[in-house]
Amino acid sequence: MKKLIAVFLLWTSFVASAQIGGSNTYEFLNIPISARVAGLGGSVIGVYDNDPTLAHANPSLINKEMSGMVTFSYLNYFADINHGFFSYVKDFKKAGTFSAGIRYLDYGTFVETDEGGNELGSFTAADYAFVLGWGKSIDSSFSVGANLKPVYSNLYTYNSVGIALDFSGTYYNRNKEFTASILFKNVGVQLSPYVEGGEKEPIPFEIQAGISKKLQHVPFRLSIDLIQLQNWNLSYNDSIVATNNNTALSDEEKAERNQTNFIGETFRHLVFGGEFVPSKSFMLRFGFNYKRRTELAHEVKPGLIGFSWGLGFRIKKFHISYGSAKYHLAGPSNHFTVTTNLSEYYRKGAAPKPPKQKKSKKVKAPKEKKSKEKKNG
């Protein structure tokens, strides 16, 4: 059973974000939480607007325009894995804008068996992260933010607790509609490992940067994210292990065989996204993740692996988004997000106060003059 759990953890880590070798725990923190992010390639930290789902990935994007917004997001992942997210944002003026949310990854129910294949029962597995975010504008162009993310993981009889922090800064030029951000993601530790007395595993720390620009005369926004900046070598060569274990090769020969292409390495760090916004009620999105394509596409039939698309529209007070990302030929991931602003309901539902009526001044009637009666002589 322990071997089954180990293989299961490795597999889910790989599927979640295609990290090299699955060397980190809590990889579910890298899954896109919203349909918009999924449709734009899986990473968007440089777009400044009132979307609270973008602020979850980059806390310096949290701003007062999001105050009162509630977000529900659901992902129908592979192998009956379900991912969900809920958040609420509230502005506190001088203190800044705060968000509170929770995300979960439910792996489903598994059948427990012994070595002979006899069923012993069933068990569940799930990961949870509570997200407390804060963002504040320094001036009209710069803002900073941070996320605090306590993590709890339950896999069969194994439990783990961890803590992660996000720090970020954003520059926004409203006139040119240009945004640039930098993010230090998942700075933290695993407080308690899955096995008592076992070694603590690293969590998926990452440095990201992102920019976006809305074209001047066209309703189109282009975004480019730079991912995994803390690690230049993202390519995986399945012959590296065999090469490094070959005692007949010198260090120079091993380095030459393990060398990767510079252009290929560069594009592995880039995520491209485009958003066509003809009106406030409709948006069309697409994205491309080169790293995802090179790692998950089949050599003979790559298909549209690495590409993604999505759309968003507004129905009355609800913003609804759908996003689809292609990870495998077996099928895409399907993301759904709904956002609404509770303050709009409060404003409309409140009974209007009657206008104050001015008190009319009492006008005293003029006193009639008594006519003097003349006495008859």
Side-chain angles (χ1 to χ4, degrees):
M1 180 55 65
K2 290 183 179 180
K3 291 183 178 180
L4 175 62
I5 294 294
V7 173
F8 174 72
L9 285 172
L10 179 61
W11 178 81
T12 52
S13 297
F14 175 76
V15 172
S17 58
Q19 292 291 330
I20 306 300
S23 58
N24 300 314
T25 188
Y26 309 146
E27 287 284 4
F28 77 101
L29 295 174
N30 287 326
I31 298 177
I33 65 156
S34 73
R36 186 181 183 187
V37 175
L40 291 172
S43 179
V44 186
I45 68 166
V47 175
Y48 190 95
D49 57 20
N50 65 343
D51 186 353
T53 63
L54 298 184
H56 171 74
N58 178 4
S60 61
L61 296 177
I62 301 175
N63 59 76
K64 61 182 180 180
E65 294 181 4
M66 301 175 184
S67 185
M69 286 191 172
V70 175
T71 300
F72 302 90
S73 190
Y74 171 74
L75 163 61
N76 180 16
Y77 220 27
F78 305 99
D80 294 327
I81 297 175
N82 296 309
H83 178 269
F85 174 74
F86 166 80
S87 72
Y88 174 73
V89 182
K90 178 67 176 177
D91 181 62
F92 289 92
K93 297 182 180 179
K94 291 184 178 181
T97 308
F98 292 80
S99 68
I102 182 173
R103 65 184 301 180
Y104 72 90
L105 187 67
D106 183 8
Y107 299 103
T109 303
F110 298 84
V111 177
E112 181 182 2
T113 63
D114 58 17
E115 291 81 355
N118 301 307
E119 293 189 11
L120 303 177
S122 62
F123 65 93
T124 59
D127 291 323
Y128 303 90
F130 303 91
V131 185
L132 301 175
W134 166 79
K136 185 174 177 59
S137 297
I138 299 176
D139 53 30
S140 60
S141 299
F142 293 93
S143 61
V144 294
N147 281 333
L148 174 65
K149 299 184 290 189
V151 180
Y152 173 72
S153 180
N154 170 241
L155 305 173
Y156 185 49
T157 59
Y158 303 94
N159 301 307
S160 177
V161 176
I163 190 76
L165 294 169
D166 300 334
F167 303 95
S168 63
T170 294
Y171 166 77
Y172 176 56
N173 189 317
R174 191 176 297 272
N175 294 328
K176 297 183 178 180
E177 295 190 271
F178 171 81
T179 306
S181 297
I182 186 167
L183 168 68
F184 296 86
K185 180 180 177 181
N186 297 329
V187 181
V189 294
Q190 184 184 36
L191 300 176
S192 63
Y194 289 98
V195 180
E196 186 176 356
E199 294 185 3
K200 295 180 180 179
E201 303 171 77
I203 66 175
F205 168 71
E206 184 178 353
I207 301 176
Q208 296 181 355
I211 60 172
S212 72
K213 178 71 171 71
K214 188 174 181 181
L215 303 185
Q216 188 174 2
H217 302 292
V218 181
F220 182 81
R221 180 190 291 111
L222 175 66
S223 64
I224 302 176
D225 271 28
L226 289 86
I227 61 173
Q228 299 290 339
L229 295 179
Q230 82 288 348
N231 180 17
W232 168 251
N233 185 10
L234 297 179
S235 64
Y236 176 73
N237 185 347
D238 56 8
S239 65
I240 287 180
V241 176
T243 299
N244 292 339
N245 291 334
N246 190 342
T247 56
L249 297 175
S250 64
D251 292 339
E252 290 77 10
E253 291 173 327
K254 292 179 181 179
E256 184 177 354
R257 291 194 181 189
N258 294 334
Q259 188 175 4
T260 57
N261 183 274
F262 176 80
I263 296 178
E265 283 289 357
T266 301
F267 274 89
R268 277 180 170 86
H269 291 271
L270 299 175
V271 177
F272 300 93
E275 198 167 22
F276 179 64
V277 190
S279 69
K280 293 182 179 180
S281 300
F282 180 75
M283 293 133 280
L284 184 63
R285 303 156 182 145
F286 64 87
F288 177 64
N289 190 316
Y290 181 81
K291 176 177 178 290
R292 185 184 298 166
R293 182 172 180 84
T294 56
E295 294 183 351
L296 300 179
H298 194 277
E299 294 182 2
V300 179
K301 191 178 179 181
L304 295 176
I305 308 301
F307 289 89
S308 57
W309 71 279
L311 53 87
F313 51 93
R314 179 172 181 171
I315 301 178
K316 293 185 177 179
K317 297 182 180 65
F318 294 93
H319 293 263
I320 303 172
S321 295
Y322 169 77
S324 178
K326 196 76 171 178
Y327 287 83
H328 193 272
L329 293 176
S333 61
N334 298 292
H335 304 248
F336 302 89
T337 302
V338 178
T339 301
T340 187
N341 196 325
L342 296 182
S343 59
E344 294 184 5
Y345 298 88
Y346 296 149
R347 284 197 297 265
K348 188 174 182 179
K353 294 181 179 180
K356 294 182 178 179
Q357 297 181 353
K358 295 182 178 179
K359 294 182 179 180
S360 58
K361 296 182 179 179
K362 294 181 179 181
V363 180
K364 295 182 180 180
K367 294 181 180 179
E368 296 182 357
K369 294 182 179 180
K370 294 181 179 181
S371 58
K372 296 181 180 179
E373 295 182 355
K374 295 182 179 180
K375 294 181 180 180
N376 293 328

